[in-house]
Amino acid sequence: MRTLQEVIRDAEAKGVAVGHFNIANIATLKAISEATKELNVPVIIGTSEGESKYVDVHRAVAMVRDLRENHGVECFLNADHTHSLDKIKEAVKAGYDAVLFDGGKLTIEENIKQTKEVVDHVKSINSNILVEGELGYIGSSSKILKEIPEGAAINEGDLTEAEEARQFVEETKIDFLAPAVGNIHGMFKGAPNPNLNINRIKQIKESAKVPLVLHGGSGIRDEDFESAIRAGISIIHINTEVRVAWRHGLETSLKGKPDEVSPYKLIEEALDGMTRVVYNRLKLFNRM
Ligand SMILES: [Zn+2]
Protein backbone atom coordinates (compact mmCIF):
# COMPACT_ATOMS: atom_id res chain seq x y z
CA MET A 1 0.00 0.00 0.00
CA ARG A 2 1.44 3.36 -1.07
CA THR A 3 1.48 6.40 1.18
CA LEU A 4 -0.48 9.50 0.17
CA GLN A 5 2.83 11.26 -0.45
CA GLU A 6 3.82 8.53 -2.94
CA VAL A 7 0.42 8.66 -4.64
CA ILE A 8 0.68 12.43 -5.16
CA ARG A 9 4.28 12.23 -6.41
CA ASP A 10 3.21 9.57 -8.87
CA ALA A 11 0.29 11.74 -10.05
CA GLU A 12 2.70 14.67 -10.56
CA ALA A 13 5.05 12.48 -12.58
CA LYS A 14 2.21 11.15 -14.76
CA GLY A 15 0.57 14.55 -15.22
CA VAL A 16 -2.74 13.45 -13.71
CA ALA A 17 -4.69 14.60 -10.64
CA VAL A 18 -6.09 12.69 -7.67
CA GLY A 19 -9.81 13.25 -7.04
CA HIS A 20 -11.01 14.41 -3.59
CA PHE A 21 -14.67 13.87 -2.66
CA ASN A 22 -16.44 14.71 0.60
CA ILE A 23 -18.73 12.39 2.49
CA ALA A 24 -21.51 12.89 5.01
CA ASN A 25 -23.14 9.46 4.77
CA ILE A 26 -22.55 5.82 3.82
CA ALA A 27 -24.24 6.21 0.41
CA THR A 28 -21.69 8.79 -0.76
CA LEU A 29 -18.82 6.65 0.51
CA LYS A 30 -20.29 3.67 -1.37
CA ALA A 31 -20.58 5.73 -4.58
CA ILE A 32 -16.93 6.85 -4.31
CA SER A 33 -15.78 3.32 -3.60
CA GLU A 34 -17.69 1.82 -6.55
CA ALA A 35 -16.44 4.41 -9.05
CA THR A 36 -12.88 4.12 -7.76
CA LYS A 37 -12.86 0.33 -7.95
CA GLU A 38 -14.17 0.38 -11.49
CA LEU A 39 -11.37 2.71 -12.62
CA ASN A 40 -8.71 1.31 -10.28
CA VAL A 41 -7.37 4.75 -9.30
CA PRO A 42 -6.52 6.25 -5.90
CA VAL A 43 -8.90 8.69 -4.24
CA ILE A 44 -8.99 11.08 -1.28
CA ILE A 45 -12.08 11.18 0.90
CA GLY A 46 -12.73 14.36 2.84
CA THR A 47 -14.83 15.50 5.75
CA SER A 48 -15.19 19.22 6.43
CA GLU A 49 -15.78 20.43 10.00
CA GLY A 50 -19.55 20.28 9.47
CA GLU A 51 -19.42 16.87 7.82
CA SER A 52 -17.18 15.35 10.47
CA LYS A 53 -19.40 16.71 13.23
CA TYR A 54 -22.17 14.57 11.73
CA VAL A 55 -20.13 11.53 10.59
CA ASP A 56 -17.76 11.56 13.60
CA VAL A 57 -13.99 11.50 13.04
CA HIS A 58 -13.49 8.01 14.48
CA ARG A 59 -16.27 6.57 12.36
CA ALA A 60 -14.80 8.25 9.25
CA VAL A 61 -11.37 6.73 9.97
CA ALA A 62 -12.91 3.29 10.53
CA MET A 63 -14.91 3.42 7.28
CA VAL A 64 -11.96 4.53 5.15
CA ARG A 65 -9.71 1.93 6.75
CA ASP A 66 -12.35 -0.71 5.97
CA LEU A 67 -12.39 0.34 2.29
CA ARG A 68 -8.60 0.07 2.18
CA GLU A 69 -8.27 -3.22 4.00
CA ASN A 70 -11.37 -5.15 2.97
CA HIS A 71 -12.48 -3.70 -0.37
CA GLY A 72 -9.26 -3.03 -2.26
CA VAL A 73 -9.75 0.73 -2.58
CA GLU A 74 -6.61 2.89 -2.47
CA CYS A 75 -8.14 5.71 -0.43
CA PHE A 76 -6.97 8.31 2.08
CA LEU A 77 -8.83 10.49 4.56
CA ASN A 78 -8.45 14.28 4.71
CA ALA A 79 -9.76 16.72 7.33
CA ASP A 80 -11.03 19.28 4.83
CA HIS A 81 -11.25 23.02 5.68
CA THR A 82 -10.31 22.90 9.34
CA HIS A 83 -10.21 26.28 11.04
CA SER A 84 -8.62 25.61 14.44
CA LEU A 85 -5.65 23.77 15.89
CA ASP A 86 -8.02 21.90 18.24
CA LYS A 87 -9.97 20.38 15.33
CA ILE A 88 -6.69 19.51 13.58
CA LYS A 89 -5.52 17.72 16.76
CA GLU A 90 -8.79 15.78 16.89
CA ALA A 91 -8.38 14.56 13.28
CA VAL A 92 -4.70 13.66 13.74
CA LYS A 93 -5.47 11.74 16.91
CA ALA A 94 -8.31 9.87 15.21
CA GLY A 95 -5.99 8.69 12.39
CA TYR A 96 -6.57 10.99 9.37
CA ASP A 97 -3.95 10.83 6.60
CA ALA A 98 -4.01 14.56 5.82
CA VAL A 99 -5.37 17.84 7.16
CA LEU A 100 -6.18 21.17 5.56
CA PHE A 101 -5.72 24.17 7.80
CA ASP A 102 -7.86 26.87 6.22
CA GLY A 103 -6.47 30.30 6.99
CA GLY A 104 -7.66 31.65 3.63
CA LYS A 105 -9.59 34.49 5.25
CA LEU A 106 -6.71 35.64 7.49
CA THR A 107 -4.02 38.20 6.64
CA ILE A 108 -0.94 36.52 5.16
CA GLU A 109 1.09 37.18 8.35
CA GLU A 110 -1.58 35.59 10.58
CA ASN A 111 -2.12 32.76 8.09
CA ILE A 112 1.63 31.96 8.09
CA LYS A 113 1.76 32.04 11.89
CA GLN A 114 -1.24 29.75 12.44
CA THR A 115 -0.43 27.36 9.56
CA LYS A 116 3.13 26.99 10.86
CA GLU A 117 1.75 26.08 14.30
CA VAL A 118 -0.40 23.40 12.69
CA VAL A 119 2.55 21.98 10.67
CA ASP A 120 4.76 21.88 13.77
CA HIS A 121 2.10 20.07 15.78
CA VAL A 122 1.14 17.54 13.09
CA LYS A 123 4.74 16.68 12.17
CA SER A 124 5.68 16.23 15.84
CA ILE A 125 2.98 13.56 16.11
CA ASN A 126 3.52 11.79 12.77
CA SER A 127 5.62 13.13 9.90
CA ASN A 128 3.66 11.01 7.38
CA ILE A 129 0.49 13.03 7.93
CA LEU A 130 0.35 15.66 5.21
CA VAL A 131 -0.62 19.28 5.82
CA GLU A 132 -2.27 21.52 3.26
CA GLY A 133 -2.37 25.30 3.61
CA GLU A 134 -4.76 27.71 1.93
CA LEU A 135 -3.81 31.08 0.49
CA GLY A 136 -6.59 33.36 -0.80
CA TYR A 137 -10.32 33.24 -0.06
CA ILE A 138 -12.57 31.24 -2.41
CA GLY A 139 -15.92 31.16 -0.53
CA SER A 140 -16.85 28.50 1.99
CA SER A 141 -20.00 26.55 1.05
CA SER A 142 -20.47 23.62 -1.31
CA LYS A 143 -23.90 24.72 -2.52
CA ILE A 144 -25.89 26.09 -5.45
CA LEU A 145 -24.80 29.70 -5.84
CA LYS A 146 -26.84 32.71 -6.93
CA GLU A 147 -23.80 35.00 -6.98
CA ILE A 148 -20.03 34.97 -6.38
CA PRO A 149 -19.46 34.52 -2.59
CA GLU A 150 -18.73 37.84 -0.85
CA GLY A 151 -15.00 38.55 -0.61
CA ALA A 152 -14.00 35.65 -2.88
CA ALA A 153 -10.90 36.28 -5.01
CA ILE A 154 -12.08 36.32 -8.62
CA ASN A 155 -10.45 39.41 -10.16
CA GLU A 156 -6.90 38.89 -11.36
CA GLY A 157 -5.52 41.36 -8.78
CA ASP A 158 -7.04 39.34 -5.89
CA LEU A 159 -5.75 35.90 -6.90
CA THR A 160 -2.89 34.25 -5.02
CA GLU A 161 0.43 35.65 -6.22
CA ALA A 162 3.36 33.40 -7.10
CA GLU A 163 5.81 35.24 -4.84
CA GLU A 164 3.35 35.16 -1.92
CA ALA A 165 2.88 31.43 -2.48
CA ARG A 166 6.65 30.83 -2.40
CA GLN A 167 6.99 32.75 0.89
CA PHE A 168 3.98 30.96 2.41
CA VAL A 169 5.32 27.49 1.58
CA GLU A 170 8.87 28.33 2.66
CA GLU A 171 7.85 29.74 6.04
CA THR A 172 5.16 27.21 6.95
CA LYS A 173 6.71 24.04 5.40
CA ILE A 174 3.29 22.80 4.23
CA ASP A 175 3.14 19.72 1.99
CA PHE A 176 0.39 21.02 -0.36
CA LEU A 177 -0.94 24.44 -1.26
CA ALA A 178 -4.52 25.43 -2.12
CA PRO A 179 -4.35 28.75 -4.01
CA ALA A 180 -7.08 31.08 -5.26
CA VAL A 181 -6.79 30.90 -9.06
CA GLY A 182 -10.32 31.86 -10.13
CA ASN A 183 -11.93 28.83 -8.46
CA ILE A 184 -14.78 29.18 -5.94
CA HIS A 185 -16.67 26.77 -3.70
CA GLY A 186 -20.15 25.92 -4.91
CA MET A 187 -21.59 25.99 -8.42
CA PHE A 188 -24.10 27.96 -10.45
CA LYS A 189 -27.32 26.43 -11.70
CA GLY A 190 -27.26 26.07 -15.49
CA ALA A 191 -24.04 28.05 -16.00
CA PRO A 192 -20.36 27.10 -15.68
CA ASN A 193 -18.20 28.54 -12.92
CA PRO A 194 -15.82 31.44 -13.71
CA ASN A 195 -12.71 30.69 -15.77
CA LEU A 196 -9.57 29.44 -14.04
CA ASN A 197 -6.41 31.47 -14.47
CA ILE A 198 -4.20 28.77 -15.96
CA ASN A 199 -1.19 31.02 -16.30
CA ARG A 200 -1.36 31.87 -12.59
CA ILE A 201 -1.46 28.17 -11.70
CA LYS A 202 1.73 27.68 -13.75
CA GLN A 203 3.50 30.60 -12.05
CA ILE A 204 2.48 29.45 -8.55
CA LYS A 205 3.59 25.89 -9.25
CA GLU A 206 7.00 27.11 -10.47
CA SER A 207 7.63 29.28 -7.43
CA ALA A 208 5.92 27.28 -4.64
CA LYS A 209 7.35 23.91 -5.78
CA VAL A 210 4.77 21.81 -3.87
CA PRO A 211 1.75 19.91 -5.20
CA LEU A 212 -1.20 22.28 -5.76
CA VAL A 213 -4.79 21.56 -4.75
CA LEU A 214 -7.76 22.90 -6.70
CA HIS A 215 -10.81 23.45 -4.49
CA GLY A 216 -14.29 24.17 -5.80
CA GLY A 217 -14.01 21.81 -8.77
CA SER A 218 -17.80 21.52 -9.18
CA GLY A 219 -19.09 23.39 -12.22
CA ILE A 220 -15.67 23.78 -13.86
CA ARG A 221 -15.47 22.94 -17.58
CA ASP A 222 -13.66 19.75 -18.64
CA GLU A 223 -11.14 21.66 -20.77
CA ASP A 224 -10.33 23.96 -17.82
CA PHE A 225 -9.57 20.90 -15.68
CA GLU A 226 -7.30 19.49 -18.38
CA SER A 227 -5.33 22.75 -18.66
CA ALA A 228 -5.19 23.13 -14.86
CA ILE A 229 -3.70 19.66 -14.45
CA ARG A 230 -1.15 20.37 -17.19
CA ALA A 231 -0.27 23.63 -15.39
CA GLY A 232 0.45 21.88 -12.08
CA ILE A 233 -2.73 20.89 -10.18
CA SER A 234 -2.32 17.49 -8.46
CA ILE A 235 -5.49 17.18 -6.33
CA ILE A 236 -9.01 18.31 -7.29
CA HIS A 237 -11.90 18.72 -4.86
CA ILE A 238 -15.48 17.95 -5.94
CA ASN A 239 -18.34 18.25 -3.47
CA THR A 240 -21.37 20.23 -4.72
CA GLU A 241 -21.87 18.09 -7.86
CA VAL A 242 -22.11 14.97 -5.68
CA ARG A 243 -24.52 16.69 -3.28
CA VAL A 244 -26.72 17.77 -6.20
CA ALA A 245 -26.78 14.19 -7.54
CA TRP A 246 -27.74 12.91 -4.06
CA ARG A 247 -30.64 15.32 -3.73
CA HIS A 248 -31.85 14.81 -7.29
CA GLY A 249 -31.79 10.99 -6.95
CA LEU A 250 -33.55 11.11 -3.62
CA GLU A 251 -36.30 13.38 -4.95
CA THR A 252 -36.84 11.05 -7.92
CA SER A 253 -37.09 8.01 -5.61
CA LEU A 254 -39.46 9.65 -3.17
CA LYS A 255 -41.75 10.75 -6.00
CA GLY A 256 -41.57 7.44 -7.88
CA LYS A 257 -41.97 5.13 -4.87
CA PRO A 258 -44.49 6.84 -2.59
CA ASP A 259 -45.06 3.72 -0.44
CA GLU A 260 -41.42 2.66 -0.05
CA VAL A 261 -39.93 3.10 3.42
CA SER A 262 -36.73 1.06 3.15
CA PRO A 263 -33.76 3.48 3.28
CA TYR A 264 -31.46 1.29 1.17
CA LYS A 265 -34.09 1.01 -1.57
CA LEU A 266 -34.94 4.70 -1.53
CA ILE A 267 -31.25 5.60 -1.87
CA GLU A 268 -30.68 3.52 -5.06
CA GLU A 269 -31.19 6.36 -7.53
CA ALA A 270 -29.06 8.77 -5.52
CA LEU A 271 -26.35 6.14 -5.31
CA ASP A 272 -26.36 5.64 -9.10
CA GLY A 273 -26.27 9.40 -9.73
CA MET A 274 -23.41 10.01 -7.30
CA THR A 275 -21.42 7.06 -8.66
CA ARG A 276 -21.76 8.50 -12.20
CA VAL A 277 -20.51 11.94 -11.08
CA VAL A 278 -17.49 10.49 -9.26
CA TYR A 279 -16.72 8.06 -12.11
CA ASN A 280 -16.76 10.78 -14.78
CA ARG A 281 -14.65 13.18 -12.76
CA LEU A 282 -12.07 10.51 -11.84
CA LYS A 283 -11.86 9.43 -15.47
CA LEU A 284 -11.16 12.98 -16.58
CA PHE A 285 -8.65 13.72 -13.77
CA ASN A 286 -6.75 10.51 -14.49
CA ARG A 287 -6.83 11.13 -18.27
CA MET A 288 -8.52 7.80 -19.02
ZN1 LIG B 1 -12.61 23.28 -0.49
Side-chain angles (χ1 to χ4, degrees):
M1 166 91 194
R2 297 185 294 174
T3 64
L4 180 55
Q5 180 81 276
E6 287 165 347
V7 166
I8 303 301
R9 274 203 204 115
D10 189 46
E12 269 188 307
K14 285 186 184 149
V16 301
V18 179
H20 176 298
F21 303 89
N22 293 62
I23 58 157
N25 57 28
I26 294 180
T28 312
L29 187 76
K30 210 171 155 68
I32 297 167
S33 128
E34 272 164 30
T36 308
K37 270 204 282 195
E38 217 164 313
L39 292 164
N40 194 24
V41 293
V43 73
I44 304 171
I45 291 164
T47 59
S48 66
E49 278 189 24
E51 286 157 343
S52 54
K53 195 171 160 204
Y54 171 71
V55 176
D56 181 273
V57 287
H58 300 100
R59 210 172 281 146
V61 169
M63 290 195 296
V64 169
R65 197 168 285 162
D66 167 61
L67 280 188
R68 260 197 308 237
E69 291 173 4
N70 304 316
H71 302 271
V73 180
E74 191 174 35
C75 57
F76 303 91
L77 185 59
N78 177 42
D80 199 17
H81 295 290
T82 310
H83 296 90
S84 69
L85 184 58
D86 279 349
K87 290 279 171 204
I88 296 272
K89 285 181 177 169
E90 191 182 88
V92 166
K93 216 172 146 203
Y96 276 59
D97 303 291
V99 297
L100 159 57
F101 176 70
D102 183 351
K105 255 192 156 171
L106 305 172
T107 60
I108 182 157
E109 293 78 18
E110 194 55 32
N111 195 356
I112 288 175
K113 184 173 159 264
Q114 292 192 25
T115 305
K116 196 176 167 342
E117 253 172 40
V118 167
V119 173
D120 290 346
H121 169 76
V122 172
K123 300 295 177 180
S124 76
I125 304 284
N126 179 349
S127 60
N128 285 328
I129 299 174
L130 303 178
V131 183
E132 176 184 342
E134 182 147 339
L135 196 54
Y137 180 62
I138 56 167
S140 54
S141 294
S142 298
K143 62 179 185 186
I144 301 293
L145 302 169
K146 292 204 170 65
E147 55 197 15
I148 301 280
E150 204 187 321
I154 282 300
N155 300 321
E156 190 157 355
D158 300 328
L159 303 182
T160 304
E161 283 171 21
E163 175 52 28
E164 231 172 39
R166 187 198 55 77
Q167 183 200 357
F168 186 66
V169 171
E170 238 174 57
E171 293 188 23
T172 59
K173 306 271 187 294
I174 48 169
D175 298 290
F176 309 141
L177 174 68
V181 288
N183 51 324
I184 46 169
H185 283 121
M187 64 190 276
F188 292 94
K189 208 174 192 165
N193 278 28
N195 292 330
L196 295 178
N197 190 320
I198 302 298
N199 205 28
R200 186 62 62 90
I201 296 174
K202 228 179 268 170
Q203 293 166 346
I204 294 173
K205 176 74 183 176
E206 274 162 25
S207 64
K209 297 189 173 64
V210 288
L212 301 182
V213 185
L214 184 70
H215 283 256
S218 295
I220 289 177
R221 301 173 188 86
D222 286 7
E223 32 316 353
D224 269 11
F225 277 129
E226 286 162 3
S227 318
I229 295 168
R230 267 198 302 274
I233 293 290
S234 302
I235 298 173
I236 301 175
H237 283 231
I238 300 281
N239 192 359
T240 313
E241 287 178 358
V242 181
R243 290 179 166 188
V244 168
W246 170 78
R247 181 175 176 123
H248 183 76
L250 202 54
E251 276 174 347
T252 308
S253 288
L254 290 170
K255 257 189 229 143
K257 303 172 190 164
D259 298 322
E260 185 58 69
V261 291
S262 165
Y264 66 87
K265 286 181 185 159
L266 281 172
I267 205 69
E268 274 167 12
E269 259 136 299
L271 188 58
D272 284 351
M274 290 191 290
T275 307
R276 254 194 319 276
V277 169
V278 177
Y279 180 90
N280 288 333
R281 285 319 196 186
L282 283 175
K283 214 171 149 195
L284 178 73
F285 300 162
N286 288 279
R287 298 199 305 176
M288 297 168 93

